[in-house]
Amino acid sequence: MSRAIALITGGSRGIGLGVAQELARSGFDVAITGRRPAEDAGVAQALASLEAHGGRAAYFASDVADLDQHEPLLDAVESALGGLDVLVNNAGVAPDVRADILEADAASFDRLISINLRGPYFLTQRAARRLVERRKAQPESRCSVVFVGSISADIASINRGDYCLSKAGIGMAAKLFATRLGEHGIPVYEVRPGIIATDMTAGVQEKYEKLFADGLAIEHRWGTPEDVGKAVAALARGDFPYATGQHIMIDGGLSTPRL
């Protein structure tokens, strides 16, 4: 049986690489994207770690914020790997500057929204058309879409309002595409990571070490890209049937109300 094919945006580092590694471990061929050139040493290391699981891996330099790059990216994935079964919308950025919402400027807002929300929304639109055709041609295909959101969809941070808004929008995007694609048997899910140890959170490590020690989350530790990857892989494998449109919290219990 041929291996299913997954595309993970922002898959060469951090949470995206953790997702790609777990999908490769689960028997998927994987395509990953990033804004680094393919010749970057980090890209080669990422591909080697993925191919070590016995499947194929390919990297494509692509900016999810540039809508004109979406169709060429999907064409390249299909040409290199033979199709597409799973789209994982992972690529995202933190604000350039954490600014109080009474002071934040529009330029930073527009940049972040274009990467974190506008880009994934329209990439999903274009990928979804192909997934519908794939399901028609190969009804046995386990096509799906997974959005990587954040606890920030629900938990307000007044010094990064643009990020919170982008993740709240991702939550609704998952529901919208789940509703639209349901008739085609294509489930759509969202995972919402909590505080995950990546390059994005490296600058606030000391702050969160203290917060974890003081009980920020039920599990007193940082989350890892592997934690998120395991959840995404389970969804992509079809381990959560009859659950389209749902989100899964990967936050160590951080968002659990407690007294």
Side-chain angles (χ1 to χ4, degrees):
M1 182 178 178
S2 61
R3 296 165 67 99
I5 300 159
L7 168 62
I8 305 97
T9 63
S12 66
R13 62 174 65 172
I15 288 175
L17 181 56
V19 169
Q21 288 171 335
E22 291 300 323
L23 285 168
R25 187 175 287 116
S26 293
F28 287 79
D29 288 335
V30 292
I32 58 175
T33 73
R35 289 185 291 178
R36 294 183 287 176
E39 298 76 23
D40 187 284
V43 171
Q45 291 171 0
L47 290 175
S49 74
L50 298 171
E51 291 169 345
H53 297 293
R56 296 175 298 166
Y59 175 81
F60 303 94
S62 184
D63 183 355
V64 71
D66 184 349
L67 272 55
D68 289 338
Q69 294 186 27
H70 291 177
E71 292 290 357
L73 168 63
L74 295 170
D75 286 342
V77 171
E78 291 193 3
S79 177
L81 298 178
L84 180 65
D85 297 286
V86 177
L87 170 65
V88 181
N89 286 296
N90 166 77
V93 296
D96 283 333
V97 177
R98 293 188 176 213
D100 186 290
I101 59 173
L102 299 186
E103 307 294 336
D105 64 60
S108 176
F109 181 97
D110 291 345
R111 169 187 172 272
L112 187 144
I113 293 296
S114 71
I115 297 170
N116 288 15
L117 180 58
R118 181 174 178 266
Y121 183 88
F122 284 102
L123 177 60
T124 303
Q125 177 198 73
R126 288 153 183 181
R129 296 169 182 161
R130 299 184 184 222
L131 295 178
V132 168
E133 293 305 312
R134 190 163 178 84
R135 282 279 295 163
K136 289 178 180 177
Q138 302 177 32
E140 73 283 1
S141 297
R142 294 200 311 270
C143 295
S144 63
V145 178
V146 182
F147 287 88
V148 178
S150 170
I151 58 171
S152 294
D154 287 324
I155 298 176
S157 297
I158 59 172
N159 63 347
R160 52 192 190 112
D162 44 8
Y163 186 82
C164 293
L165 285 170
S166 74
K167 293 305 183 179
I170 283 294
M172 178 51 71
K175 291 180 176 66
L176 288 166
F177 281 104
T179 302
R180 179 62 183 85
L181 296 176
E183 66 183 276
H184 301 288
I186 301 172
V188 181
Y189 310 99
E190 180 195 6
V191 296
R192 292 185 180 177
I195 311 302
I196 309 298
T198 67
D199 292 347
M200 188 182 291
T201 55
V204 290
Q205 181 175 356
E206 184 176 347
K207 168 188 173 181
Y208 282 108
E209 291 284 0
K210 183 177 186 304
L211 288 172
F212 279 122
D214 291 341
L216 175 66
I218 294 172
E219 296 187 39
H220 293 189
R221 69 171 177 87
W222 287 80
T224 68
E226 181 183 11
D227 293 328
V228 183
K230 287 182 180 298
V232 174
L235 294 167
R237 289 193 307 262
D239 292 353
F240 282 78
Y242 207 55
T244 189
Q246 302 305 304
H247 69 264
I248 299 175
M249 307 300 293
I250 313 296
D251 67 352
L254 188 156
S255 58
T256 300
R258 287 164 281 165
L259 289 175

